[in-house]
Amino acid sequence: MQQQAVHQTASNRSTIPAPLDPVQKPFMWVGIIASLLLFITIISITNVTQGVLFIIGIAFGLVLLHARFGFTSAFRRLLSVGNVQGLQSHMLMLAVATTGFAIILGTGFSFTGTAPQGYVFPVGVSVIFGSFIFGIGMQLGSGCASGTLYTVGGGKSSMVLTLIGFIAGSVLGAYHIGFWRETPALPAISLAESTGLGYLGGWILQLLIFLGIYGVTVKIARKKNPPRMEPLKTTTGLKRLWRGAWPLLAAAVALGVLNAITLAVRGNPWGITSAFALWGSQFIQMFGVDVASWQYWSENPAPLNQTVLADSTSVMNFGIILGAFIAASAQGNFKPGKIKPGIGFASIIGGILMGYGARLAFGCNIGAYFGGIASFSLHGWVWMIMALIGTYLALFLRPLFGLKNPNPRDSIC
């Protein structure tokens, strides 16, 4: 009876003490030294604020890797077998971020003097279609925007192909943006400002929505009795901070806090995919392509002629990759492997769909879903719904490429 209770307690945890692989010290020190050198370069070429954002990016990478925090897997587990652990962690993350955003946006607080602005964008055909194909893409690519970056840093080989496809799709989306801007759309709607509720009222409204979704997930779990997520191996004591896995809910709180800090430092929430469009556009610009004439870049041409280190999203992305690399090395898990042809093909297709969809939908799972909802934007909620629909369709496509879906008969997801 006592053993059964211990087993039940362990099954409800996202981490469990277990022997860990040896620290990959050469890799870890390469990551630390590279991070230090890049930090010095950033503040030398740009300014201290960019350096701070790079450090925040490293923190995001550490949290994401240590907790294996997923957006793609959370949606997939929910729709395939009814596992709600991932979505419940999203609701906690969004509640924490929404609280921070309400204070920052409501008071105009800033660490740097830059007036904070949330991600509030119109809801229209482009958002609906873009988030739908993003949902398909992240299931084929086996990772979302944040997932792509931290798993590349963590040593998952196929995600390099996803990233390449992501960049290509982002460039294509930037090229086509003029067409999509002409499609029907509602004006930008803020659940705080557009409704007259204010940030206090909007905060209360969103907390009630989060609680409502959490309540629904509890009912789903009771009805489906799904397999639980496999606990990640961790250790005990202070070593857990840098060696072992971190609890999923603790990571959710950390991500919410980090996004609020990002808003107060750079004046905008955390974002990822605009940097992919910049990297790809600068690359093809070197071969004579007139990207500056595209509507996407004519609205803000400055980044095209600057170093990527001057782009706050880019330096945060570099930080995420390096932070994840350091964390994976500390856990002894940086072990790139071979890529199966089917998975490689799916990774490229998924990346292209995500890159293109993110440009149409004013962001990805971070900029639109996480940042949009935390900013009280209606488009963030629409993004979530359409990405879930895209995920459901992708469950039928994944096996065609040799990708597995969770099974109700599994003991763990």
Side-chain angles (χ1 to χ4, degrees), residues 256-334:
V257 171
L258 285 171
N259 203 352
I261 293 173
T262 301
L263 175 62
V265 171
R266 76 169 186 168
N268 293 119
W270 180 24
I272 288 178
T273 56
S274 64
F276 297 164
L278 175 61
W279 301 349
S281 296
Q282 284 190 335
F283 178 75
I284 64 174
Q285 186 176 238
M286 293 189 299
F287 297 92
V289 180
D290 185 18
V291 297
S293 65
W294 301 352
Q295 181 176 334
Y296 181 85
W297 290 115
S298 64
E299 296 171 353
N300 182 27
L304 284 175
N305 302 310
Q306 297 176 342
T307 169
V308 292
L309 298 183
D311 177 55
S312 60
T313 303
S314 292
V315 297
M316 291 188 71
N317 286 356
F318 299 150
I320 292 169
I321 294 172
L322 283 168
F325 176 69
I326 294 169
S329 301
Q331 292 184 344
N333 290 331
F334 185 80

Coordinates of all heavy atoms in Angstrom, one line a residue, residues 256-334:
G256 N 6.6 33.3 -17.3 CA 5.7 34.5 -17.1 C 6.4 35.7 -16.6 O 6.2 36.8 -17.1
V257 N 7.3 35.5 -15.6 CA 8.0 36.6 -15.0 C 9.0 37.2 -16.0 O 9.2 38.4 -16.2 CB 8.8 36.1 -13.7 CG1 9.7 37.2 -13.2 CG2 7.8 35.8 -12.6
L258 N 9.7 36.3 -16.7 CA 10.7 36.7 -17.7 C 10.1 37.5 -18.9 O 10.7 38.5 -19.4 CB 11.5 35.5 -18.3 CG 12.5 34.9 -17.4 CD1 13.0 33.6 -18.0 CD2 13.7 35.8 -17.1
N259 N 8.9 37.1 -19.3 CA 8.2 37.9 -20.3 C 7.8 39.3 -19.9 O 7.9 40.3 -20.6 CB 7.0 37.1 -20.8 CG 6.6 37.5 -22.2 OD1 7.1 38.5 -22.8 ND2 5.6 36.8 -22.8
A260 N 7.4 39.4 -18.6 CA 7.1 40.7 -18.0 C 8.3 41.6 -17.9 O 8.3 42.8 -18.2 CB 6.4 40.5 -16.7
I261 N 9.4 41.0 -17.5 CA 10.7 41.7 -17.5 C 11.1 42.2 -18.8 O 11.5 43.3 -19.0 CB 11.8 40.8 -16.8 CG1 11.5 40.6 -15.4 CG2 13.1 41.5 -17.0 CD1 12.4 39.6 -14.7
T262 N 10.9 41.3 -19.9 CA 11.2 41.7 -21.2 C 10.4 42.9 -21.7 O 11.0 43.9 -22.3 CB 10.9 40.5 -22.2 OG1 11.7 39.4 -21.8 CG2 11.3 40.9 -23.6
L263 N 9.2 42.9 -21.3 CA 8.3 44.1 -21.7 C 8.8 45.4 -21.0 O 8.8 46.4 -21.6 CB 6.9 43.8 -21.2 CG 5.8 44.9 -21.4 CD1 5.7 45.3 -22.8 CD2 4.5 44.5 -20.8
A264 N 9.2 45.2 -19.8 CA 9.7 46.4 -19.0 C 11.1 46.9 -19.5 O 11.5 48.0 -19.3 CB 9.7 46.2 -17.5
V265 N 11.8 46.0 -20.1 CA 13.2 46.4 -20.6 C 13.2 46.9 -22.0 O 13.7 48.0 -22.2 CB 14.1 45.2 -20.5 CG1 15.5 45.5 -21.2 CG2 14.4 44.8 -19.1
R266 N 12.6 46.2 -22.9 CA 12.6 46.7 -24.3 C 11.4 47.4 -24.8 O 11.4 47.9 -25.9 CB 13.0 45.5 -25.2 CG 11.9 44.5 -25.5 CD 12.4 43.6 -26.7 NE 11.3 42.7 -27.1 CZ 11.3 42.0 -28.3 NH1 12.4 42.1 -29.0 NH2 10.3 41.2 -28.6
G267 N 10.3 47.4 -24.0 CA 9.1 48.1 -24.4 C 8.1 47.2 -25.1 O 7.0 47.6 -25.5
N268 N 8.5 46.0 -25.5 CA 7.6 45.0 -26.1 C 7.8 43.7 -25.5 O 8.8 43.4 -24.9 CB 8.0 44.9 -27.6 CG 7.7 46.1 -28.4 OD1 8.6 46.7 -29.0 ND2 6.4 46.6 -28.5
P269 N 6.8 42.8 -25.6 CA 6.9 41.4 -25.0 C 7.9 40.6 -25.8 O 8.4 41.0 -26.9 CB 5.5 40.9 -25.2 CG 4.6 42.0 -25.4 CD 5.4 43.1 -26.1
W270 N 8.2 39.5 -25.3 CA 9.1 38.5 -25.9 C 8.5 38.1 -27.3 O 7.4 37.9 -27.5 CB 9.1 37.3 -25.0 CG 10.0 36.1 -25.5 CD1 11.1 36.2 -26.3 CD2 9.9 34.8 -25.1 NE1 11.6 34.9 -26.5 CE2 10.9 34.0 -25.7 CE3 9.0 34.1 -24.3 CZ2 11.1 32.7 -25.6 CZ3 9.2 32.7 -24.1 CH2 10.2 32.0 -24.7
G271 N 9.4 38.1 -28.3 CA 9.1 37.6 -29.6 C 10.3 36.8 -30.2 O 11.4 36.9 -29.7
I272 N 10.0 36.1 -31.2 CA 11.1 35.2 -31.8 C 11.2 35.4 -33.3 O 12.2 35.6 -33.9 CB 10.8 33.8 -31.4 CG1 11.2 33.5 -30.0 CG2 11.7 32.8 -32.3 CD1 10.9 32.1 -29.5
T273 N 10.0 35.3 -34.0 CA 10.1 35.0 -35.5 C 10.4 36.2 -36.4 O 10.8 36.0 -37.5 CB 8.8 34.3 -35.9 OG1 7.7 35.2 -35.6 CG2 8.6 33.0 -35.3
S274 N 10.2 37.4 -35.9 CA 10.6 38.6 -36.7 C 12.1 38.5 -37.0 O 12.5 39.0 -38.1 CB 10.2 39.9 -36.0 OG 11.0 40.0 -34.8
A275 N 12.9 37.9 -36.1 CA 14.3 37.8 -36.4 C 14.6 36.8 -37.5 O 15.5 37.0 -38.3 CB 15.0 37.3 -35.1
F276 N 13.8 35.8 -37.7 CA 14.0 34.8 -38.8 C 13.8 35.5 -40.1 O 14.5 35.3 -41.1 CB 13.0 33.7 -38.6 CG 13.2 32.8 -37.4 CD1 12.2 32.0 -37.0 CD2 14.3 32.9 -36.6 CE1 12.3 31.2 -35.8 CE2 14.5 32.1 -35.5 CZ 13.5 31.3 -35.1
A277 N 12.7 36.4 -40.2 CA 12.5 37.1 -41.4 C 13.7 38.1 -41.7 O 14.1 38.2 -42.9 CB 11.2 38.0 -41.3
L278 N 14.3 38.7 -40.7 CA 15.4 39.5 -40.8 C 16.6 38.8 -41.3 O 17.3 39.2 -42.3 CB 15.7 40.3 -39.5 CG 17.0 41.1 -39.5 CD1 16.9 42.3 -40.5 CD2 17.2 41.7 -38.1
W279 N 16.9 37.7 -40.7 CA 18.1 36.9 -41.0 C 18.0 36.4 -42.5 O 19.0 36.5 -43.3 CB 18.2 35.6 -40.1 CG 18.4 35.9 -38.7 CD1 18.6 37.2 -38.1 CD2 18.3 35.0 -37.6 NE1 18.7 37.0 -36.7 CE2 18.5 35.7 -36.4 CE3 18.1 33.6 -37.5 CZ2 18.4 35.1 -35.1 CZ3 18.0 33.0 -36.3 CH2 18.2 33.8 -35.1
G280 N 16.9 35.9 -42.9 CA 16.7 35.4 -44.2 C 16.7 36.5 -45.2 O 17.3 36.3 -46.3
S281 N 16.1 37.6 -44.9 CA 16.1 38.8 -45.9 C 17.4 39.4 -46.1 O 17.8 39.7 -47.2 CB 15.1 39.8 -45.4 OG 13.7 39.3 -45.3
Q282 N 18.2 39.5 -45.0 CA 19.6 40.0 -45.1 C 20.4 39.0 -45.9 O 21.3 39.5 -46.7 CB 20.2 40.2 -43.7 CG 19.7 41.4 -43.0 CD 20.5 41.7 -41.8 OE1 21.1 40.9 -41.2 NE2 20.5 43.0 -41.3
F283 N 20.2 37.7 -45.8 CA 20.9 36.7 -46.5 C 20.7 36.9 -48.0 O 21.6 37.0 -48.8 CB 20.6 35.3 -46.1 CG 21.3 34.2 -46.8 CD1 22.7 34.0 -46.6 CD2 20.6 33.5 -47.7 CE1 23.3 33.0 -47.3 CE2 21.3 32.5 -48.4 CZ 22.6 32.2 -48.2
I284 N 19.4 36.9 -48.5 CA 19.1 36.9 -49.9 C 19.4 38.3 -50.5 O 19.7 38.5 -51.7 CB 17.7 36.5 -50.2 CG1 16.7 37.5 -49.6 CG2 17.5 35.1 -49.8 CD1 15.2 37.1 -50.0
Q285 N 19.4 39.3 -49.6 CA 19.8 40.7 -50.0 C 21.2 40.7 -50.5 O 21.6 41.5 -51.4 CB 19.6 41.7 -48.9 CG 19.8 43.1 -49.2 CD 19.5 44.1 -48.1 OE1 18.7 45.0 -48.2 NE2 20.2 43.9 -47.0
M286 N 22.1 39.9 -49.9 CA 23.5 39.8 -50.3 C 23.6 39.3 -51.8 O 24.7 39.6 -52.4 CB 24.3 38.9 -49.4 CG 24.4 39.4 -48.0 SD 25.6 38.5 -47.0 CE 24.8 36.9 -47.0
F287 N 22.6 38.7 -52.3 CA 22.6 38.1 -53.7 C 21.9 39.0 -54.6 O 21.5 38.6 -55.7 CB 22.1 36.7 -53.7 CG 22.9 35.7 -52.9 CD1 22.7 35.5 -51.5 CD2 24.0 35.1 -53.4 CE1 23.4 34.6 -50.8 CE2 24.8 34.2 -52.7 CZ 24.5 34.0 -51.4
G288 N 21.6 40.2 -54.2 CA 21.0 41.2 -55.1 C 19.4 41.3 -55.0 O 18.8 42.0 -55.8
V289 N 18.8 40.5 -54.2 CA 17.3 40.6 -54.1 C 16.9 41.9 -53.4 O 17.4 42.2 -52.3 CB 16.8 39.4 -53.3 CG1 15.3 39.4 -53.2 CG2 17.2 38.1 -54.0
D290 N 16.0 42.6 -54.0 CA 15.6 43.9 -53.5 C 14.5 43.7 -52.4 O 13.3 44.1 -52.7 CB 15.1 44.8 -54.6 CG 14.8 46.2 -54.2 OD1 15.2 46.6 -53.1 OD2 14.1 46.9 -54.9
V291 N 14.9 43.2 -51.3 CA 13.9 43.0 -50.2 C 13.4 44.3 -49.6 O 12.3 44.4 -49.1 CB 14.5 42.1 -49.1 CG1 14.9 40.8 -49.6 CG2 15.7 42.8 -48.5
A292 N 14.2 45.4 -49.8 CA 13.7 46.7 -49.2 C 12.5 47.2 -49.9 O 11.8 48.0 -49.3 CB 14.9 47.7 -49.3
S293 N 12.2 46.7 -51.1 CA 11.0 47.2 -51.8 C 9.7 46.5 -51.3 O 8.6 46.9 -51.7 CB 11.2 47.0 -53.3 OG 11.3 45.6 -53.6
W294 N 9.9 45.4 -50.6 CA 8.7 44.7 -50.1 C 8.0 45.5 -49.1 O 8.6 46.3 -48.3 CB 9.1 43.3 -49.4 CG 9.9 42.4 -50.3 CD1 10.1 42.5 -51.7 CD2 10.5 41.2 -49.9 NE1 10.8 41.4 -52.1 CE2 11.1 40.6 -51.0 CE3 10.6 40.5 -48.7 CZ2 11.8 39.4 -51.0 CZ3 11.3 39.3 -48.6 CH2 11.9 38.8 -49.7
Q295 N 6.7 45.4 -49.0 CA 5.9 46.2 -48.1 C 6.3 45.9 -46.6 O 6.3 46.8 -45.8 CB 4.4 45.9 -48.2 CG 3.5 46.7 -47.3 CD 2.0 46.5 -47.5 OE1 1.6 46.1 -48.6 NE2 1.2 46.7 -46.5
Y296 N 6.6 44.7 -46.3 CA 7.0 44.3 -45.0 C 8.2 45.2 -44.5 O 8.2 45.7 -43.4 CB 7.4 42.8 -44.9 CG 7.7 42.3 -43.5 CD1 6.8 42.0 -42.6 CD2 9.1 42.2 -43.1 CE1 7.1 41.5 -41.4 CE2 9.4 41.8 -41.9 CZ 8.4 41.4 -41.0 OH 8.8 41.0 -39.7
W297 N 9.2 45.3 -45.4 CA 10.4 46.1 -45.0 C 10.3 47.5 -45.3 O 11.0 48.3 -44.6 CB 11.6 45.5 -45.7 CG 12.0 44.1 -45.2 CD1 12.0 42.9 -45.8 CD2 12.4 43.8 -43.8 NE1 12.4 41.9 -45.0 CE2 12.6 42.4 -43.7 CE3 12.6 44.6 -42.7 CZ2 13.0 41.8 -42.6 CZ3 13.0 43.9 -41.5 CH2 13.2 42.6 -41.5
S298 N 9.4 47.9 -46.2 CA 9.3 49.4 -46.5 C 8.7 50.1 -45.3 O 8.9 51.3 -45.1 CB 8.4 49.6 -47.7 OG 7.1 49.1 -47.5
E299 N 7.9 49.3 -44.4 CA 7.3 49.9 -43.2 C 8.4 50.1 -42.1 O 8.2 51.0 -41.3 CB 6.2 49.0 -42.7 CG 5.0 48.9 -43.7 CD 4.1 47.8 -43.3 OE1 4.4 47.1 -42.3 OE2 3.0 47.7 -43.9
N300 N 9.4 49.4 -42.2 CA 10.5 49.5 -41.2 C 11.8 49.0 -41.8 O 12.3 47.9 -41.5 CB 10.2 48.7 -39.9 CG 11.2 48.8 -38.8 OD1 11.9 49.9 -38.7 ND2 11.4 47.8 -38.0
P301 N 12.5 49.8 -42.6 CA 13.6 49.4 -43.4 C 14.9 49.4 -42.6 O 15.9 48.7 -43.0 CB 13.7 50.4 -44.5 CG 13.1 51.6 -43.9 CD 12.0 51.2 -43.0
A302 N 15.0 50.0 -41.4 CA 16.2 50.2 -40.7 C 17.0 48.9 -40.4 O 18.2 48.8 -40.6 CB 16.0 51.0 -39.4
P303 N 16.3 47.8 -39.9 CA 17.0 46.6 -39.5 C 17.8 46.0 -40.7 O 18.8 45.3 -40.4 CB 15.9 45.7 -39.0 CG 14.8 46.6 -38.6 CD 14.9 47.7 -39.5
L304 N 17.4 46.2 -41.9 CA 18.0 45.6 -43.0 C 19.5 46.0 -43.2 O 20.3 45.3 -43.7 CB 17.3 45.8 -44.3 CG 16.0 45.1 -44.6 CD1 15.3 45.6 -45.8 CD2 16.3 43.6 -44.7
N305 N 19.7 47.2 -42.8 CA 21.1 47.8 -43.0 C 21.9 47.9 -41.7 O 22.8 48.7 -41.7 CB 20.9 49.2 -43.6 CG 20.1 49.2 -45.0 OD1 20.5 48.4 -45.8 ND2 19.1 50.0 -45.1
Q306 N 21.4 47.2 -40.7 CA 22.1 47.2 -39.4 C 22.6 45.8 -39.1 O 22.2 44.8 -39.7 CB 21.2 47.7 -38.3 CG 20.7 49.1 -38.4 CD 19.8 49.5 -37.3 OE1 19.2 48.6 -36.7 NE2 19.6 50.8 -37.1
T307 N 23.6 45.7 -38.2 CA 24.0 44.4 -37.7 C 22.8 43.8 -37.0 O 22.0 44.4 -36.3 CB 25.2 44.6 -36.7 OG1 25.4 43.3 -36.1 CG2 24.9 45.6 -35.7
V308 N 22.8 42.4 -37.0 CA 21.7 41.7 -36.3 C 21.8 41.9 -34.8 O 20.8 41.7 -34.1 CB 21.7 40.2 -36.7 CG1 21.3 40.0 -38.1 CG2 23.0 39.6 -36.4
L309 N 23.0 42.3 -34.3 CA 23.2 42.5 -32.9 C 22.4 43.7 -32.4 O 22.2 43.9 -31.2 CB 24.6 42.6 -32.6 CG 25.5 41.4 -32.9 CD1 26.9 41.6 -32.4 CD2 24.9 40.2 -32.2
A310 N 22.0 44.6 -33.4 CA 21.2 45.8 -33.0 C 19.7 45.4 -32.9 O 18.9 46.2 -32.5 CB 21.4 46.9 -34.0
D311 N 19.3 44.2 -33.3 CA 18.0 43.7 -33.3 C 17.7 43.0 -32.0 O 18.3 41.9 -31.8 CB 17.7 42.8 -34.5 CG 16.3 42.2 -34.5 OD1 15.3 43.0 -34.4 OD2 16.2 41.0 -34.5
S312 N 16.8 43.5 -31.2 CA 16.6 42.9 -29.8 C 16.1 41.5 -29.9 O 16.5 40.6 -29.1 CB 15.7 43.8 -29.0 OG 14.4 43.9 -29.7
T313 N 15.3 41.2 -30.9 CA 14.8 39.8 -31.0 C 15.9 38.9 -31.4 O 15.9 37.7 -30.8 CB 13.6 39.8 -32.0 OG1 12.6 40.7 -31.7 CG2 13.1 38.4 -32.1
S314 N 16.8 39.3 -32.2 CA 17.9 38.4 -32.6 C 18.8 38.1 -31.5 O 19.2 36.9 -31.3 CB 18.7 39.1 -33.8 OG 17.9 39.2 -35.0
V315 N 19.2 39.1 -30.7 CA 20.1 38.8 -29.6 C 19.4 38.0 -28.5 O 20.1 37.1 -27.9 CB 20.6 40.1 -29.0 CG1 21.4 40.9 -30.0 CG2 19.5 41.0 -28.3
M316 N 18.1 38.1 -28.3 CA 17.4 37.2 -27.4 C 17.4 35.8 -28.0 O 17.6 34.8 -27.2 CB 16.0 37.7 -27.2 CG 16.0 39.0 -26.3 SD 14.3 39.4 -25.8 CE 13.9 38.2 -24.6
N317 N 17.2 35.6 -29.3 CA 17.3 34.3 -29.9 C 18.6 33.6 -29.7 O 18.7 32.4 -29.4 CB 16.9 34.4 -31.4 CG 15.4 34.6 -31.6 OD1 14.6 34.7 -30.7 ND2 15.1 34.8 -32.9
F318 N 19.7 34.4 -29.9 CA 21.0 33.9 -29.7 C 21.2 33.4 -28.3 O 21.8 32.4 -28.0 CB 22.1 34.9 -30.1 CG 22.1 35.4 -31.5 CD1 22.5 36.7 -31.8 CD2 21.6 34.5 -32.5 CE1 22.4 37.1 -33.2 CE2 21.6 35.0 -33.8 CZ 22.0 36.2 -34.2
G319 N 20.6 34.2 -27.4 CA 20.7 33.9 -25.9 C 20.0 32.6 -25.6 O 20.5 31.7 -24.8
I320 N 18.8 32.4 -26.2 CA 18.0 31.1 -26.0 C 18.8 29.9 -26.4 O 18.9 28.9 -25.7 CB 16.7 31.2 -26.8 CG1 15.8 32.3 -26.2 CG2 16.0 29.9 -26.7 CD1 14.6 32.6 -27.0
I321 N 19.4 30.0 -27.6 CA 20.2 28.9 -28.1 C 21.4 28.6 -27.2 O 21.6 27.4 -26.9 CB 20.7 29.2 -29.6 CG1 19.5 29.2 -30.5 CG2 21.7 28.1 -30.0 CD1 19.9 29.7 -31.9
L322 N 22.1 29.6 -26.8 CA 23.3 29.4 -26.0 C 22.9 28.9 -24.6 O 23.5 28.0 -24.0 CB 24.1 30.6 -25.9 CG 25.0 30.9 -27.1 CD1 25.5 32.4 -27.1 CD2 26.1 29.9 -27.2
G323 N 21.8 29.5 -24.0 CA 21.3 29.1 -22.7 C 20.9 27.6 -22.7 O 21.2 26.8 -21.8
A324 N 20.2 27.2 -23.8 CA 19.8 25.8 -23.9 C 21.1 24.9 -24.1 O 21.1 23.7 -23.5 CB 18.9 25.6 -25.1
F325 N 22.0 25.3 -24.8 CA 23.3 24.6 -25.0 C 24.0 24.3 -23.7 O 24.4 23.2 -23.4 CB 24.2 25.3 -26.0 CG 25.5 24.6 -26.2 CD1 25.6 23.4 -26.9 CD2 26.7 25.2 -25.8 CE1 26.8 22.8 -27.1 CE2 27.9 24.6 -26.0 CZ 28.0 23.4 -26.6
I326 N 24.1 25.4 -22.9 CA 24.8 25.3 -21.6 C 24.0 24.3 -20.7 O 24.6 23.5 -20.0 CB 24.9 26.7 -20.9 CG1 25.8 27.6 -21.7 CG2 25.3 26.5 -19.5 CD1 25.8 29.0 -21.3
A327 N 22.7 24.4 -20.7 CA 21.8 23.6 -19.8 C 21.9 22.1 -20.3 O 22.1 21.2 -19.4 CB 20.4 24.0 -19.9
A328 N 21.9 21.9 -21.6 CA 22.0 20.5 -22.1 C 23.4 19.9 -21.7 O 23.5 18.7 -21.4 CB 21.8 20.4 -23.6
S329 N 24.4 20.7 -21.9 CA 25.8 20.2 -21.5 C 25.9 19.9 -20.1 O 26.5 18.9 -19.7 CB 26.8 21.3 -22.0 OG 26.7 21.5 -23.3
A330 N 25.3 20.7 -19.2 CA 25.3 20.5 -17.8 C 24.6 19.2 -17.4 O 25.0 18.5 -16.5 CB 24.7 21.7 -17.0
Q331 N 23.6 18.9 -18.2 CA 22.8 17.6 -17.9 C 23.5 16.4 -18.6 O 23.1 15.3 -18.4 CB 21.4 17.8 -18.4 CG 20.6 18.8 -17.6 CD 19.1 18.8 -18.0 OE1 18.8 18.4 -19.1 NE2 18.3 19.4 -17.2
G332 N 24.5 16.7 -19.5 CA 25.1 15.6 -20.2 C 24.2 15.1 -21.4 O 24.4 14.0 -21.8
N333 N 23.3 16.0 -21.9 CA 22.4 15.6 -22.9 C 22.6 16.1 -24.3 O 21.7 15.9 -25.1 CB 20.9 16.0 -22.4 CG 20.5 15.1 -21.3 OD1 20.9 14.0 -21.1 ND2 19.6 15.7 -20.4
F334 N 23.7 16.8 -24.5 CA 23.9 17.4 -25.8 C 24.5 16.2 -26.7 O 25.7 16.0 -26.8 CB 24.9 18.5 -25.8 CG 25.1 19.2 -27.1 CD1 24.1 20.1 -27.6 CD2 26.2 19.0 -27.9 CE1 24.2 20.7 -28.8 CE2 26.3 19.6 -29.2 CZ 25.3 20.4 -29.6

